[in-house]
Amino acid sequence: MFAEIEQYFRTERLPHIWCPGCTNGIIVKSIVEAIQKAGLDQDKTVIVSGIGCSSRATGYLNFNTLHTTHGRALAFASGVKLANPELNVFVITGDGDCTSIGGNHFIHSARRNMDLNVILFNNNIYGMTGGQYSPMSPSGAKATTAPYGNIERPFDICNLAIAAGATYVARGNSFNTRQLTDIIYNGIANKGFSFVEAIASCPVYYGRKNKLGNAADMLKWQRDNCITKEAADRLPLEKKQGKVVTGILHHEPAPEYTTEYQKIIDKFQGGEES
Amino acid sequence: MSSVAETTQQMPIAINLSWCKACGICYALCPVKVLGPDELGKVTVIQANKCTHCKICENHCPDYAISVVGGKKS
Ligand SMILES: Cc1ncc(C[n+]2csc(CCOP(=O)(O)OP(=O)(O)O)c2C)c(N)n1
Ligand code: SF4
Ligand code: SF4
Ligand code: SF4
Ligand SMILES: [Mg+2]
């Protein structure tokens, strides 16, 4: 495994900045494994991130990387892909980055169906700024800005992505690394907007505020509370209450943006009149 | 600064202690207690011969500090 780390990471920058037991590192490794499995050329792969603890990932990855501004990773990534559709473009974003300040970019990117691979690290909190609640903090969860419990309801971001037009939507977690790698890999194969929600744990803010135990306890929570879509489909409603459904939730290919755009270019540059 | 070249190995488990942050995930999840904490809470190998190569430790170390040699691919 160390050989893969040497190949795909900027090892001179390791160890990374994330807190002990933060599972961001596990998710990043799954992304890299999916890229390796898909056989993507490192020099033709671009990884774009926004701002947040999770978005720091680009600093450690040995690809073409762009660490951009809060909520705007998808806008930068769309520009990169449109300028050079040959590139494989990934976006790493957080629940705050993607669904709060970046919510508008998110729905329109999903609708536009550009060939992007988006991985949202969902730790249910703003980690980097000290534990404020996010649009994906569960109702009742404690945060520095919700000391008596969150009175809002969270987004089901996968359902939102489907409704907005994403052509591939999946959910995984940092415990089931094999599944996580597989769903990212399958998303790469989808030519269009591929979205993966990766459940992460932030033991330092979310975990401590909500008394969820140590880093290993939080990983065991993921193990014990996530069920695959295949299993969920077979269970009666009462048995899946409170469980988080993982796996490929939606796959419905549609015309891809840069391909359609190229057709317009060809039409006018190919000598055809109007 | 560190690199994976600084690894110590006790077959089949290679550890890069300079990357370990003592989070406890690997030794809490190891099903057969091959791993345990040292006095600082960092990972240490206590009974290498019991290792089943399941790679649960390697797959869940957020800091890429463990590599299990041999066994099935993760
Ligand atoms: C325009 C702007 N507004 C606010 C901030 C402050 N800020 C930095 S990170 C962040 C939230 C990050 O949360 P999330 O995306 O969930 O990432 P995490 O740290 O949890 O991985 C905020 C509000 C900023 N950097 N820029
Ligand atoms: S604050 Fe939370 S999300 Fe940020 S590095 Fe620490 S554990 Fe991870
Ligand atoms: S999981 Fe990794 S960082 Fe955590 S104690 Fe084990 S070796 Fe150290
Ligand atoms: S490979 Fe499995 S048995 Fe061996 S040390 Fe790691 S977790 Fe324990
Ligand atoms: Mg977050």
Side-chain angles (χ1 to χ4, degrees):
Chain A
M1 202 256 317
F2 286 150
E4 289 155 28
I5 300 296
E6 292 274 19
Q7 184 182 345
Y8 292 105
F9 286 78
R10 297 173 181 151
T11 50
E12 72 282 4
R13 298 218 181 153
L14 295 175
H16 52 59
I17 197 172
W18 296 315
C19 306
C22 173
T23 64
N24 285 350
I26 301 175
I27 298 167
V28 171
K29 188 151 71 93
S30 270
I31 296 174
V32 156
E33 280 171 356
I35 289 175
Q36 183 185 37
K37 202 170 153 191
L40 304 186
D41 181 346
Q42 264 165 284
D43 293 328
K44 290 214 161 72
T45 300
V46 182
I47 307 184
V48 185
S49 64
I51 297 292
C53 294
S54 38
S55 290
R56 298 286 297 249
T58 42
Y60 307 109
L61 288 164
N62 188 18
F63 294 85
N64 301 288
T65 59
L66 267 176
H67 190 183
T68 69
T69 58
H70 198 29
R72 272 64 183 159
L74 277 163
F76 284 88
S78 300
V80 169
K81 184 70 184 177
L82 195 54
N84 189 353
E86 300 277 284
L87 298 171
N88 311 299
V89 183
F90 290 76
V91 172
I92 288 178
T93 179
D95 47 312
D97 192 64
C98 185
T99 75
S100 203
I101 190 169
N104 207 25
H105 291 291
F106 180 69
I107 53 173
H108 292 287
S109 300
R111 179 180 62 79
R112 198 175 284 137
N113 198 35
M114 201 178 279
D115 189 17
L116 302 173
N117 301 289
V118 182
I119 299 98
L120 184 155
F121 290 47
N122 178 19
N123 58 8
N124 308 106
I125 201 101
Y126 291 181
M128 177 169 265
T129 45
Q132 296 82 1
Y133 72 87
S134 88
M136 293 185 70
S137 299
S139 304
K142 296 216 165 94
T144 48
T145 46
Y148 308 112
N150 181 19
I151 57 172
E152 299 181 20
R153 292 168 305 153
F155 275 136
D156 178 330
I157 201 64
C158 289
N159 276 345
L160 180 63
I162 295 167
T167 46
Y168 177 93
V169 177
R171 185 187 285 119
N173 64 62
S174 51
F175 182 82
N176 193 344
T177 54
R178 186 175 309 203
Q179 179 197 46
L180 183 59
T181 302
D182 282 349
I183 60 177
I184 297 169
Y185 171 78
N186 285 313
I188 295 172
N190 174 54
K191 195 159 170 55
F193 189 85
S194 303
F195 176 72
V196 172
E197 174 190 349
I199 297 169
S201 38
C202 168
V204 170
Y205 289 111
Y206 192 73
R208 203 178 279 165
K209 282 247 175 282
N210 292 286
K211 300 193 167 51
L212 301 176
N214 62 27
D217 294 330
M218 289 183 79
L219 264 181
K220 288 179 190 162
W221 184 93
Q222 293 178 23
R223 178 192 66 193
D224 299 338
N225 291 280
C226 290
I227 51 169
T228 63
K229 186 173 185 302
E230 292 69 34
D233 287 345
R234 276 184 266 113
L235 282 178
L237 203 62
E238 66 274 12
K239 288 239 166 112
K240 47 191 173 194
Q241 214 94 86
K243 299 282 184 200
V244 183
V245 180
T246 61
I248 300 171
L249 307 176
H250 174 79
H251 187 202
E252 200 178 303
E256 192 272 330
Y257 188 92
T258 61
T259 311
E260 296 307 304
Y261 194 78
Q262 189 59 43
K263 284 184 192 164
I264 304 280
I265 296 173
D266 291 346
K267 186 170 170 184
F268 289 99
Q269 291 187 347
E272 240 179 275
E273 293 302 318
S274 76
Chain B
M1 204 194 81
S2 63
S3 107
V4 286
E6 290 163 29
T7 303
T8 56
Q9 191 154 340
Q10 199 177 335
M11 279 305 267
I13 303 143
I15 290 173
N16 180 0
L17 214 56
S18 64
W19 287 358
C20 172
K21 290 183 190 151
C23 72
I25 287 175
C26 58
Y27 47 83
L29 294 186
C30 174
V32 285
K33 299 273 164 260
V34 168
L35 307 172
D38 69 9
E39 59 278 13
L40 296 171
K42 289 194 178 200
V43 62
T44 189
V45 179
I46 37 187
Q47 36 176 3
N49 60 325
K50 292 264 174 70
C51 178
T52 63
H53 303 92
C54 70
K55 297 201 182 205
I56 287 175
C57 55
E58 175 182 313
N59 291 339
H60 296 98
C61 171
D63 282 275
Y64 322 126
I66 305 180
S67 181
V68 181
V69 182
K72 51 181 188 279
K73 174 114 179 67
S74 52

